[in-house]
Amino acid sequence: MIRSELIQKLADENPHLYQRDVERIVNTVFEEITGAMARGDRVELRGFGAFSVKKRDARTGRNPRTGEAVEVEEKHVPFFKTGKLLRDRLNGK
């Protein structure tokens, strides 16, 4: 599902809301999650999962084409851990 499909589904299920308002709500939720992660905070949605940021240390990597050693800088990457309810639902429990 892509963002526009999510917005359309929410708008269809909530006919009392205008589509532009649903779009604003969805965008605000995503912006808040992104902003919290950018600050290094953890975002937990009970039953769904938790978004956090993990730090990857600098390391020496290899260029797969040439085999040449390449320095890879330290970086921060997003991480998602599923919640128990989501895991159980995906596994048919």
Side-chain angles (χ1 to χ4, degrees), residues 37-84:
M37 290 177 66
R39 293 188 303 272
D41 296 338
R42 181 173 183 264
V43 178
E44 181 177 338
L45 303 172
R46 297 279 167 132
F48 183 71
F51 298 92
S52 60
V53 178
K54 292 207 173 201
K55 178 182 160 198
R56 290 195 183 159
D57 293 329
R59 62 184 173 83
T60 302
R62 295 253 174 236
N63 181 331
R65 186 174 294 171
T66 65
E68 174 186 354
V70 178
E71 292 302 316
V72 179
E73 295 180 2
E74 166 188 293
K75 58 183 156 184
H76 294 86
V77 294
F79 180 75
F80 177 74
K81 182 176 180 187
T82 58
K84 185 178 184 326

Side-chain angles (χ1 to χ4, degrees), residues 9-29:
K9 183 164 177 63
L10 289 172
D12 291 345
E13 290 179 5
N14 297 283
H16 61 283
L17 295 174
Y18 293 112
Q19 181 154 350
R20 67 176 181 268
D21 293 336
V22 173
E23 186 173 353
R24 192 175 306 140
I25 291 167
V26 169
N27 289 336
T28 301
V29 169

